[in-house]
Amino acid sequence: MSLKEIKSETLYKEYALEIPYEEINKIIDSKINELLPTVSLPGFRKGKAPINIVRKKYENNVLSESLDKLVQDKIKLILDEKKLKPFTQPKIDLKKYEKNEPIEVEIKIDLEPEIKLAEFKKLKVNEYEIDLDNKLIEGNYKEFLKSQKKYIEIKNIRQIKKTDKVLIDLSSKDESVPDFLKVQKKLPIVIDSDYQILPLIGEKLIENKLRKGDKIDIELDISKSLKLNEKKLAIFNIEILNIEESVPFVVDKDFLDKNGFKNEDDLKKNLENNFKSQYKNGLKQIEKKQLMDTLDKEHSFDLPQGILDQEFNDIWHRLEHAKKDGTLDEDDKKLSDDQLRKRYQEISKRRVKLAILLQYIAKENNITVDEKELSQGMMQYATQYPGQEKEIIEYFKKNPSSIETIRGPLLEEKVIKHLRSQCNLLKTKVDKNAYENLEKEVFEFKKGT
């Protein structure tokens, strides 16, 4: 065996390993000898076939397992000899494998950092409670009433107005138009809505002074549907099927029954609870961010360079795609590549540091996610996709590695809960203005950290 160190960085090692082919040959021979008594081949009694014939037939079958065992044994030997403590499973890259030639393997090892935890009882962290006055709660209710639009069919024939809802048939013969837009039957268009299937379609309907029964060809921009940065126009044929006008919304028995409310007070209470819940969830995110900031500040340790590089490369890969797709964040667009690189290197360091720290705290305190919690987490995740719950659960069963996307956040939540129980909690009531100031202050650093 020949071993050469090709890279050595902070808590990171790379080795080039060369293994004589004879060693894999010996393992293959051993596996074939184990198989020999069980093999039945035409012309030979069971277990009596010549070893060279058996080897020729089964060598490829046992090769992968034999090679894996050989490499794992060599890695264990290297770790023991060099007294290395891997932080994660060493990464193996088979560089060369040819029969009767030395086997060449590249090994990448992230090493375990030394972490000294802060005394959490001495750390001060905030616990917020939202304090909303009756004026705000009543204002939220009024906003809800304004948002509830009700329409009735117009009795007279007139032109479309800005406050109308219009039912149309839409079609296009332009080949550049996406399939889902080529034919749309009975498509509702809320004229004053900010969310239109095609930009400015509502304005175009008003501009052309259309009435029920009218048919017209209109040129519309489809660049958004094609994810283009430049305007792309296409001709659409539009027929006005029906026009409905907006009427004042009232909380009547029909609305209450349909939505499961006993009376208007019941509706108000539900909206008030939802309103407060939005702020409570926002405060939880603020508390979490402040706790992470404190953990980051109170702990200092070396980070495995291999994991850091992988995290940064993953982020940079997504950024390059965002540039091509034109979906880069506005604040990122203002930066040069060097500035972007510096920003996301800092973000990578923070993410890796906090992930390692939370993992270490979980290990030190025997915090785990049990099967019941994992099952509940999967079910909760599946409810985000109504009608596809069964398929989502089946996917997790068939792809066990994907379950980590559920386990990770659950474990993080349990570690955070544990930490908050250990720290010195400072209870503070905040009103709407204080909440908004907190949000700006806490999330001022680049989002995604």
Side-chain angles (χ1 to χ4, degrees), residues 237-286:
N237 179 261
I238 293 173
E239 180 181 358
I240 308 300
L241 302 178
N242 200 12
I243 300 173
E244 296 180 353
E245 62 183 355
S246 176
V247 295
F249 171 77
V250 291
V251 179
D252 54 20
K253 188 176 185 304
D254 182 54
F255 175 83
L256 292 170
D257 290 345
K258 194 181 290 183
N259 291 279
F261 298 111
K262 298 173 187 176
N263 48 46
E264 189 172 0
D265 286 340
D266 191 22
L267 168 64
K268 282 185 175 181
K269 193 63 183 174
N270 181 269
L271 288 170
E272 180 182 338
N273 290 338
N274 287 341
F275 189 47
K276 288 180 177 177
S277 180
Q278 289 173 20
Y279 280 98
K280 286 176 184 176
N281 290 334
L283 288 172
K284 278 186 180 179
Q285 293 305 311
I286 290 170

Side-chain angles (χ1 to χ4, degrees), residues 83-97:
K83 297 180 180 177
L84 299 176
K85 290 183 178 179
F87 180 64
T88 56
Q89 188 71 22
K91 293 176 183 174
I92 301 163
D93 187 5
L94 185 61
K95 290 292 185 182
K96 180 185 173 186
Y97 176 80

Side-chain angles (χ1 to χ4, degrees), residues 166-174 177-189 196-202 204-205 214-222 225 234-241:
V166 183
L167 200 66
I168 67 170
D169 277 350
L170 176 144
S171 62
S172 177
K173 294 179 181 178
D174 192 317
V177 172
D179 288 342
F180 78 95
L181 279 177
K182 281 185 177 174
V183 177
Q184 286 274 359
K185 296 288 187 182
K186 296 183 178 179
L187 177 67
I189 302 290
Q196 304 283 5
I197 190 168
L198 287 162
L200 303 180
I201 187 171
K204 292 282 185 182
L205 297 181
D214 286 350
K215 291 182 182 180
I216 190 173
D217 287 337
I218 296 179
E219 200 172 40
L220 295 168
D221 182 14
I222 59 170
S225 301
I235 300 292
F236 287 86
N237 179 261
I238 293 173
E239 180 181 358
I240 308 300
L241 302 178

Side-chain angles (χ1 to χ4, degrees), residues 142-176:
K142 287 177 180 176
E143 285 299 315
F144 167 77
L145 295 180
K146 282 182 187 176
S147 70
Q148 299 302 301
K149 293 189 176 181
K150 188 174 180 180
Y151 298 91
I152 60 170
E153 187 174 347
I154 61 172
K155 295 178 180 178
N156 58 321
I157 301 297
R158 63 160 174 79
Q159 295 175 10
I160 297 169
K161 294 180 180 178
K162 189 174 182 180
T163 54
D164 290 339
K165 181 168 77 171
V166 183
L167 200 66
I168 67 170
D169 277 350
L170 176 144
S171 62
S172 177
K173 294 179 181 178
D174 192 317
E175 289 301 317
S176 63

Side-chain angles (χ1 to χ4, degrees), residues 19 45 66 98 107 168 240 244 258 330 353 361 449:
I19 308 169
R45 282 182 296 157
S66 302
E98 293 177 18
I107 305 166
I168 67 170
I240 308 300
E244 296 180 353
K258 194 181 290 183
E330 289 302 317
K353 179 181 180 180
I361 292 168
T449 59

